[in-house]
Amino acid sequence: MFGLVARSSRRLLSSTRVVAMVPPVTRVTNVNVVSRTFNSATEDVSEEVTSLPDNRFEGVAQPFDKKIAGILAQPLDDAEVILAKDGTLTVSHEFYKGVLNKAFGVGGWALVPCGEIVDLEDLYEMGKDNNFVTKIREYSLYCHERFVSQAIGETSFYPGKQYYSEATEKIKFSALMRCCKDLGVANELWNKRWSDTWKSKYAVQEWVENTTNGRKNQLWRRRDEDWSWPYKKTTFQKTY
């Protein structure tokens, strides 16, 4: 009898020791998110503890009122169109800002950078005086505190021949133009049939010579404008 009690006591003590070795349970209430940032220029990765904003896309897919929508969707005036020599149709930076200011009020919209300016490729070799680098930067457009669109702006930067500040403005304008597509601003420019109709009415394509280097190309001009230096009209025709 005494031996049975002793064996039972040893089992109890053993069980007690096992339970005592189990650590207490800790309840996690806060979770930190580690944000990793990659710098393509230096190939360095930096880490910092941060929290992701839950409301960064607040207001997405909620329609603006009819007054704002009407301003954004106004037909594009032919006189606002700018014709590039390669035939590309655009409108000015001021046009986009004017439409947004009219629709949302001055200060009622913002183009927010999502990162730093990055060199997309290495330096392009285009001759002794024509080397350039493609630079890009991503932006988000917010209107009345709502996320509207996100796009990458880009430009070709010519070191030694162009101000860096000028290149950054071109990147910003490129992103703004793309973001405004989602609001319907100047959407006609993205319609090939509309663009071809505009060109047939207001533009002409001609062979011209660059008097500084003798190169000849087919370029576009407005019908109400003449060629200016360094271009002059020529009768050259390309042969195959």
Side-chain angles (χ1 to χ4, degrees), residues 97-211:
K97 291 192 294 185
V99 172
L100 294 176
N101 284 339
K102 186 176 180 180
F104 303 106
V106 178
W109 63 276
L111 192 65
V112 181
C114 302
E116 299 300 322
I117 296 176
V118 176
D119 293 350
L120 186 61
E121 298 288 350
D122 294 332
L123 191 69
Y124 285 89
E125 297 294 335
M126 300 291 290
K128 182 178 179 181
D129 299 322
N130 292 308
N131 296 334
F132 71 92
V133 179
T134 299
K135 293 184 175 291
I136 65 171
R137 192 178 198 181
E138 191 169 19
Y139 287 86
S140 292
L141 177 63
Y142 288 84
C143 300
H144 285 180
E145 300 185 12
R146 301 184 192 178
F147 173 86
V148 172
S149 183
Q150 193 162 318
I152 294 176
E154 69 175 278
T155 191
S156 298
F157 175 63
Y158 294 81
K161 299 179 65 176
Q162 183 182 14
Y163 288 112
Y164 187 77
S165 57
E166 179 184 349
T168 60
E169 283 296 309
K170 289 184 176 180
I171 296 172
K172 186 177 180 180
F173 169 59
S174 174
L176 178 63
M177 175 183 64
R178 290 179 167 88
C179 285
C180 282
K181 288 172 60 179
D182 289 343
L183 288 174
V185 180
N187 265 3
E188 294 89 340
L189 299 177
W190 306 94
N191 186 313
K192 186 178 185 303
R193 181 173 296 180
W194 188 94
S195 298
D196 290 343
T197 300
W198 189 96
K199 289 180 184 178
S200 66
K201 292 172 60 177
Y202 301 106
V204 60
Q205 187 179 33
E206 296 176 330
W207 280 100
V208 295
E209 178 183 351
N210 187 326
T211 57

